[in-house]
Amino acid sequence: MATYLYIFPHPDDECFGPVPGIARQRREGHDVHLLTLTRGEATSQRERLGYSKAEMAEVRYQEMQDVASVLDLNSLTVLEYPDGHLAELNPLVLEDEVTTRIHAVEPDVVVTYPVHGVSGHPDHLVTHAVVKRAACALRRDGAACPRRLAFYTLPPAPDDTDRPAHLSHSPPDLIDCRLPLRDEDLATGREALTCYETYRPVIEEHRPLDSIGDHLSFELFAEAHDPPLSSLLDRLPAVDDSAGLPQAS
């Protein structure tokens, strides 16, 4: 069994795409932990609902508790950095938060956004940079975890796919893992997604899980696999006991 740590900036980031993979990993008995850097209080849905930022933050926090229950997460940590303003913070502070959580969880695999952030949201871009920097620093310092850094991404859309125009994808040659999904994993993912009642209009309009098909795509940092792996644990880099650094298997 392995340990995964997903790191995203906002509530619902884990459900707008990667959630069926989380469901599969829990079904298989792996430990899955989720770290979210903000409570998502700046969403435009707040204005539609008439909530203050504090009220929106609390509602979204409670929605995340429901998501954690549906997915049977091993832990959920929700920080309170300002939604929409991560780029204005000292990145070393965020890096310290990520490093602290990695030390606590000791994940084999850390999952976050790719360099384009999928949606291009500034908080997504900051999270990518901070998590990558933290993982690289840990490797430099001889830490055994994480053994792999994975970026959840989208592949190029088929011609018949109605994907929102603002979403970016990774080119095929950068996709190192295509994770197959079962119908039961997609069903659990949809159940978790519906916990975000405040986002119901967005979910109903874009149907984010309808466009991912029967697999998830990931880039693997500092690795290249052709053909792509079928699991984030396949060919997992080993740890060199003499240096504490992951080595390609």
Side-chain angles (χ1 to χ4, degrees), residues 52-122:
S52 67
K53 284 190 175 181
E55 290 169 336
M56 192 71 200
E58 182 58 28
V59 169
R60 301 200 78 191
Y61 177 77
Q62 294 303 322
E63 288 174 335
M64 289 206 77
Q65 307 309 307
D66 294 338
V67 169
S69 178
V70 169
L71 295 175
D72 190 29
L73 295 178
N74 295 91
S75 77
L76 168 64
T77 302
V78 184
L79 304 180
E80 298 185 41
Y81 289 101
D83 179 18
H85 297 279
L86 295 187
E88 300 170 25
L89 303 180
N90 181 343
L92 298 179
V93 173
L94 296 175
E95 182 184 329
D96 285 346
E97 292 278 16
V98 169
T99 300
T100 296
R101 195 64 190 142
I102 290 174
H103 281 312
V105 172
E106 297 186 340
D108 297 286
V109 181
V110 168
V111 182
T112 191
Y113 280 122
V115 67
H116 51 73
V118 178
S119 74
H121 191 295

Side-chain angles (χ1 to χ4, degrees), residues 12 16 43-46 48-49 56 60 164 166-167 193 196-210:
D12 76 35
F16 273 68
T43 172
S44 60
Q45 300 304 306
R46 175 178 66 84
R48 176 180 64 83
L49 296 166
M56 192 71 200
R60 301 200 78 191
H166 71 284
L167 297 183
L193 182 60
Y196 289 109
E197 180 63 33
T198 54
Y199 260 61
R200 180 175 294 275
V202 176
I203 293 168
E204 291 179 347
E205 178 182 359
H206 294 294
R207 303 186 307 278
L209 298 185
D210 288 355

Side-chain angles (χ1 to χ4, degrees), residues 149-166:
L149 177 58
F151 303 135
Y152 166 74
T153 190
L154 295 174
D159 293 338
D160 59 351
T161 299
D162 185 20
R163 180 180 292 172
H166 71 284

Side-chain angles (χ1 to χ4, degrees), residues 95-192:
E95 182 184 329
D96 285 346
E97 292 278 16
V98 169
T99 300
T100 296
R101 195 64 190 142
I102 290 174
H103 281 312
V105 172
E106 297 186 340
D108 297 286
V109 181
V110 168
V111 182
T112 191
Y113 280 122
V115 67
H116 51 73
V118 178
S119 74
H121 191 295
D123 285 355
H124 292 201
L125 308 186
V126 171
T127 300
H128 165 85
V130 165
V131 174
K132 183 165 67 176
R133 174 64 175 79
C136 288
L138 286 165
R139 290 186 179 186
R140 177 201 62 200
D141 295 340
C145 297
R147 296 171 63 187
R148 170 169 284 161
L149 177 58
F151 303 135
Y152 166 74
T153 190
L154 295 174
D159 293 338
D160 59 351
T161 299
D162 185 20
R163 180 180 292 172
H166 71 284
L167 297 183
S168 297
H169 65 265
S170 296
D173 62 337
L174 290 184
I175 294 175
D176 299 300
C177 178
R178 288 167 51 92
L179 182 68
L181 302 170
R182 292 184 181 179
D183 289 344
E184 61 190 295
D185 302 324
L186 287 163
T188 301
R190 290 190 178 94
E191 182 182 355

